[in-house]
């Protein structure tokens, strides 16, 4: 089955403020021309593999381009749990996301206003249908409990401890064959243990260099993995497991702390399982 993915056109994208360590020293430093070209590169590659639906960028909300943060889609019921952004610089995105999803026929669910939740940036389904919820840096710890009320499958909380890897999708990437990539140092010891127990030998550790290249921030479509850049080690490892790797440079978006996965929202909620 083909995936449906939402992307947002990059016309409003810029680094105008600093809400994560990657944005430091990059305010005003984005080339719109290069960003448009890199966004187009991802869009073109993904369009060959998935049905890509578009939102439209807005200069008032430069991080709107990162559609992973719009919310957590529950495809079967055509409902989306909307994000409550932590930083005021992103809070206006919620109304835009609500309007877009309602116009597309989705029912929007809002969590209480006083809890922070940053959508599929911090909530990722694995191939077994378990939901992994990052917290500690953007989304609140209580989110895993709140989400469990909407989801029949197990929901697990993971504690993020490195401000550079502030969303779960910057340091953890479930693969559609049941494996997962992760950056160990981004997690608390108990979360590392939970992942190790849950995935066993299907858990693939990334090096810090791979983490910093946003290798965990990958989009999976069947056996194809699209990411900013893979190290030769990771490329070889994933190809050995039967995946094809497509690199697509996203350096302008990395100045904002985001890469391929952040720029996409998979409406199926989780990648279709492949064996
Ligand atoms: N500048 C954005 C922020 O700090 C980047 C968001 C990246 N999105 C993601 N899903 N990791 O919120």
């Amino acid at each position: 089955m083909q995936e449906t993915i939402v992307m947002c056109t990059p016309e409003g994208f810029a680094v105008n403020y600093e809400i994560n360590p990657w944005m430091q020293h990059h305010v005003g430093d984005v080339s719109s021309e290069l960003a448009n070209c890199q966004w187009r590169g991802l869009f073109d590659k993904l369009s060959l593999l998935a049905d890509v639906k578009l939102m439209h960028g807005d200069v008032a909300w430069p991080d709107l381009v990162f559609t992973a943060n719009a919310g957590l889609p529950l495809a079967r019921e055509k409902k989306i749990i909307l994000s409550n952004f932590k930083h005021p610089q992103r809070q206006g995105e919620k109304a835009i996301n609500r309007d877009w999803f309602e116009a597309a026929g989705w029912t929007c669910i809002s969590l209480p206003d006083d809890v922070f939740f940053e959508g599929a940036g911090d909530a990722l389904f694995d191939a077994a249908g378990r939901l992994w919820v990052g917290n500690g840096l953007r989304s609140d710890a209580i989110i895993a409990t709140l989400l469990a009320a909407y989801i029949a499958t197990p929901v697990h909380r993971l504690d993020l401890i490195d401000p550079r890897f502030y969303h779960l999708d910057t340091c953890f990437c479930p693969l559609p064959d049941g494996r997962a990539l992760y950056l160990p140092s981004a997690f608390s010891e108990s979360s590392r243990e939970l992942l190790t127990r849950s995935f066993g030998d299907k858990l693939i550790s990334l090096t810090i260099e791979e983490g910093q290249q946003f290798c965990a921030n990958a989009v999976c479509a069947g056996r194809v993995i699209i990411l900013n850049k893979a190290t030769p080690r990771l490329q070889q490892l994933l190809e050995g497991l039967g995946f094809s790797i497509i690199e697509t440079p996203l350096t302008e978006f990395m100045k904002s702390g985001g890469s391929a996965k952040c720029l996409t929202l998979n409406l199926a909620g989780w990648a279709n399982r492949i064996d």
Side-chain angles (χ1 to χ4, degrees):
M1 196 178 63
Q2 213 190 24
E3 317 271 347
T4 303
I5 286 177
V6 182
M7 289 183 71
C8 171
T9 57
E11 60 259 28
F13 173 64
V15 177
N16 291 345
Y17 45 77
E18 296 175 12
I19 56 170
N20 70 53
W22 305 94
M23 298 172 100
Q24 271 163 25
H25 316 301
H26 284 306
V27 170
D29 178 35
V30 166
S31 154
S32 305
E33 204 184 322
L34 185 55
N36 290 348
C37 177
Q38 293 184 339
W39 183 91
R40 185 81 211 186
L42 175 64
F43 172 82
D44 286 346
K45 291 175 184 96
L46 212 45
S47 296
L48 298 174
L49 303 164
D51 176 18
V52 184
K53 308 246 184 260
L54 286 183
M55 290 179 66
H56 287 283
D58 185 330
V59 285
W61 305 106
D63 279 335
L64 188 66
V65 74
F66 298 110
T67 49
N69 297 123
L72 177 67
L74 305 174
R76 238 165 285 163
E77 303 105 277
K78 220 174 169 186
K79 288 183 179 161
I80 177 160
I81 303 174
L82 292 173
S83 293
N84 283 344
F85 290 90
K86 175 167 184 170
H87 296 287
Q89 291 93 331
R90 297 200 66 181
Q91 286 168 356
E93 295 176 35
K94 184 174 183 179
I96 301 174
N97 292 326
R98 177 186 282 114
D99 289 351
W100 192 92
F101 277 94
E102 281 181 354
W106 288 63
T107 302
C108 293
I109 299 171
S110 267
L111 296 173
D113 284 344
D114 59 347
V115 291
F116 296 129
F117 171 53
E118 298 207 353
D122 265 336
L124 281 87
F125 285 102
D126 67 17
R130 297 172 294 197
L131 183 68
W132 298 91
V133 184
N135 82 99
L137 295 166
R138 291 291 178 90
S139 299
D140 286 334
I142 195 170
I143 286 298
T145 312
L146 296 180
L147 293 183
Y150 297 95
I151 291 157
T153 48
V155 178
H156 297 293
R157 204 185 84 191
L158 294 171
D159 305 323
L160 302 178
I161 58 165
D162 182 336
R164 290 172 301 173
F165 303 102
Y166 56 95
H167 279 141
L168 183 61
D169 68 1
T170 63
C171 51
F172 176 65
C173 179
L175 300 177
D177 67 350
R179 292 187 172 83
L181 306 176
Y182 94 126
L183 178 66
S185 62
F187 295 90
S188 69
E189 201 180 323
S190 59
S191 296
R192 275 201 300 273
E193 279 166 15
L194 175 61
L195 286 168
T196 311
R197 263 200 318 278
S198 307
F199 284 89
D201 61 1
K202 290 181 185 295
L203 192 61
I204 300 171
S205 294
L206 297 176
T207 63
I208 187 71
E209 179 200 358
E210 289 162 346
Q212 285 173 332
Q213 288 182 21
F214 279 76
C215 290
N217 202 250
V219 184
C220 306
R223 289 253 167 225
V224 181
I225 297 180
I226 305 181
L227 77 187
N228 167 65
K229 196 165 172 34
T231 56
R233 175 200 92 97
L234 186 63
Q235 173 140 6
Q236 214 176 27
L237 192 156
L238 291 171
E239 284 176 352
L241 296 171
F243 290 99
S244 318
I245 307 302
I246 300 181
E247 293 185 334
T248 193
L250 292 164
T251 49
E252 292 309 286
F253 297 95
M254 284 164 59
K255 293 176 179 172
S256 187
S259 184
K261 160 68 174 60
C262 306
L263 291 166
T264 63
L265 180 66
N266 188 333
L267 291 186
W270 72 84
N272 297 312
R273 199 195 147 80
I274 52 167
D275 292 302

